[in-house]
Amino acid sequence: MTNPDPMPSSFDFSDCPALLPGYQAAGSTCVTVVVTSGTFQVGNFNQSITSPIRMTFGSQFNVTTRKITPVFGAMHADKMLVQPGLFGDPVVTAVYAQPEFAGVFDQPTSTDFKIKLGLKIKLINPVLGNNCYIASNSDPITLNLSTGTTSPPPPNTPITGQAAEIVLSQPPLAVRSAQHVDNAFGVGGANGCAFGAGVTDWFVNQVAGTPSAAGKNTMIFNEYIASKPYTALGS
């Protein structure tokens, strides 16, 4: 199975992270991922991904240690409607969710293109304030995404992603299609909603079904993964 969505007409490498001290462009690669569709099911929210999520990171080569270090660049996502209206009102009580990077990133060595990624989800609604989140930088949703098969606790059962396959090779650009999945992660509770901890956070948790234990949540990302060597950035 290839990505069911059209490939983006172009890929933006402007968020490629600067090289760390002691690292060099030769041997380093920048990767930009465009999640074109999929699902994030967190607690009671079972949301189709309705607009692209873009992530950029580098695999940077240290000339002294001869090691590759993964370095996160940036994440961009639009808000997505998850609750049309808690009280039937499509405007004032509609709730949108916007995933944000939460400080955790790694690329464990594997044959399944594993990516470890920390997320928090901003909930957007006029009455929730500007800092209402599910999870946080200190307690992120930690995804262990894989193109292979998951091993979740029950009630979830294993699901399998789609191995990355090259769909465009125009050196220095290479583009792969893949599907990353994880359904073994837990989700923390709401924080920072309206007037802070207390009644509003509690109410959001009741509606969202959070905290949500591992085995009750799912992420599925249909993606295009574009890569360029650092030596070719700007070309």
Side-chain angles (χ1 to χ4, degrees), residues 37-49 53 80 82 97 99 119 121 134 141 143 145 152-157 159 180-188 207-221:
S37 64
T39 300
F40 69 83
Q41 188 267 309
V42 172
N44 293 336
F45 291 150
N46 192 348
Q47 174 65 30
S48 295
I49 295 172
I53 299 172
M80 291 173 269
V82 295
L119 296 180
I121 298 175
I134 293 173
I141 300 169
L143 304 177
L145 295 159
N156 281 354
T157 57
I159 57 176
H180 271 96
V181 297
D182 185 13
N183 65 346
F185 60 93
V187 178
V207 173
T210 51
S212 182
K216 297 182 178 181
N217 314 287
T218 300
M219 292 278 182
I220 299 174
F221 290 164

Side-chain angles (χ1 to χ4, degrees), residues 138-223:
S138 59
D139 184 20
I141 300 169
T142 302
L143 304 177
N144 289 286
L145 295 159
S146 173
T147 60
T149 301
T150 63
S151 298
N156 281 354
T157 57
I159 57 176
T160 301
Q162 179 66 35
E165 59 179 67
I166 293 179
V167 292
L168 177 67
S169 180
Q170 292 182 347
L173 176 68
V175 181
R176 292 170 171 82
S177 171
Q179 184 186 76
H180 271 96
V181 297
D182 185 13
N183 65 346
F185 60 93
V187 178
N191 61 91
C193 301
F195 303 106
V199 173
T200 309
D201 288 352
W202 175 86
F203 178 72
V204 170
N205 282 329
Q206 298 308 299
V207 173
T210 51
S212 182
K216 297 182 178 181
N217 314 287
T218 300
M219 292 278 182
I220 299 174
F221 290 164
N222 297 317
E223 313 157 315

Side-chain angles (χ1 to χ4, degrees), residues 63 73 79 81 88 94 107 112 130 132 183 189 197 204 209 213 218 235:
V63 66
K79 66 180 183 180
L81 181 66
Q107 282 184 281
D112 294 331
N130 295 321
C132 182
N183 65 346
V204 170
T218 300
S235 65

Side-chain angles (χ1 to χ4, degrees), residues 60-136:
Q60 299 187 359
F61 178 66
N62 187 303
V63 66
T64 302
T65 64
R66 316 295 291 179
K67 292 183 178 180
I68 297 289
T69 299
V71 182
F72 194 78
M75 176 178 178
H76 301 283
D78 295 330
K79 66 180 183 180
M80 291 173 269
L81 181 66
V82 295
Q83 176 59 259
L86 297 181
F87 308 112
D89 170 20
V91 179
V92 176
T93 61
V95 177
Y96 294 81
Q98 186 171 33
E100 296 182 4
F101 179 60
V104 175
F105 179 74
D106 196 12
Q107 282 184 281
T109 301
S110 74
T111 58
D112 294 331
F113 205 134
K114 292 185 184 298
I115 297 175
K116 185 175 183 178
L117 180 68
L119 296 180
K120 57 187 178 182
I121 298 175
K122 184 173 186 178
L123 298 181
I124 301 170
N125 170 273
V127 302
L128 295 180
N130 295 321
N131 198 38
C132 182
Y133 284 89
I134 293 173
S136 63

